[in-house]
Amino acid sequence: QVQLVESGGGLVQPGGSLTLSCLASGFTLDDYRVGWIRQRLGKDDEGVSCIFTDDGRTYYTDSVKGRFTISRDNAKNTVYLQMTSLKPEDTGVYYCAAGPYPLERLCERYPGKGAMDYWGKGTLVTVSS
């Protein structure tokens, strides 16, 4: 079965950290641009961190730059998102999506699930005291 499955979400206090995982099955993530996409209540889906799995190039939006780190382990067919210094406004459902778009396009002007090759169901991150 071809799918992306996210894990690692949860409840964390402001200033805390979480690491999310995106595991691909049924296909290989090699040569894909993969983005971590955030869904917040009442807002459009937004890319926050993106990576080209072929060479490891990364892109971050200003809202997470310096706090989030995206990485990949091609041997495990997995992309990670390490989140630190979390803020209440980081609360949302985080899902990963894979497609052919340039990193900046994927992160800054996310085209939506329908334009991506694969996407997962997401994992909930709640930042609250």
Side-chain angles (χ1 to χ4, degrees):
Q1 184 177 3
V2 175
Q3 59 181 356
L4 290 172
V5 179
E6 302 89 348
S7 62
L11 172 64
V12 63
Q13 292 186 340
S17 301
L18 281 175
T19 298
L20 308 182
S21 299
C22 168
L23 172 64
S25 59
F27 73 104
T28 178
L29 281 173
D30 291 358
D31 297 332
Y32 272 98
R33 280 78 170 178
V34 178
W36 278 100
I37 313 301
R38 180 165 66 191
Q39 292 179 316
R40 291 187 289 183
L41 198 62
K43 300 192 175 185
D44 293 336
D45 292 6
E46 58 176 340
V48 295
S49 302
C50 300
I51 190 167
F52 183 27
T53 57
D54 185 33
D55 60 12
R57 278 182 292 133
T58 59
Y59 188 94
Y60 300 93
T61 55
D62 286 345
S63 64
V64 306
K65 202 171 293 182
R67 300 188 298 122
F68 290 11
T69 302
I70 189 171
S71 61
R72 94 288 194 205
D73 185 334
N74 287 353
K76 294 183 178 180
N77 219 20
T78 301
V79 171
Y80 302 96
L81 184 67
Q82 182 179 9
M83 306 185 293
T84 63
S85 301
L86 283 161
K87 306 175 182 179
E89 53 264 42
D90 292 319
T91 294
V93 174
Y94 287 71
Y95 68 91
C96 54
Y101 298 95
L103 295 183
E104 182 175 354
R105 170 79 168 94
L106 183 58
C107 261
E108 295 288 2
R109 299 183 303 282
Y110 176 60
K113 290 178 182 177
M116 304 300 289
D117 291 345
Y118 306 105
W119 61 91
K121 293 181 179 180
T123 184
L124 176 63
V125 172
T126 304
V127 185
S128 175
S129 55

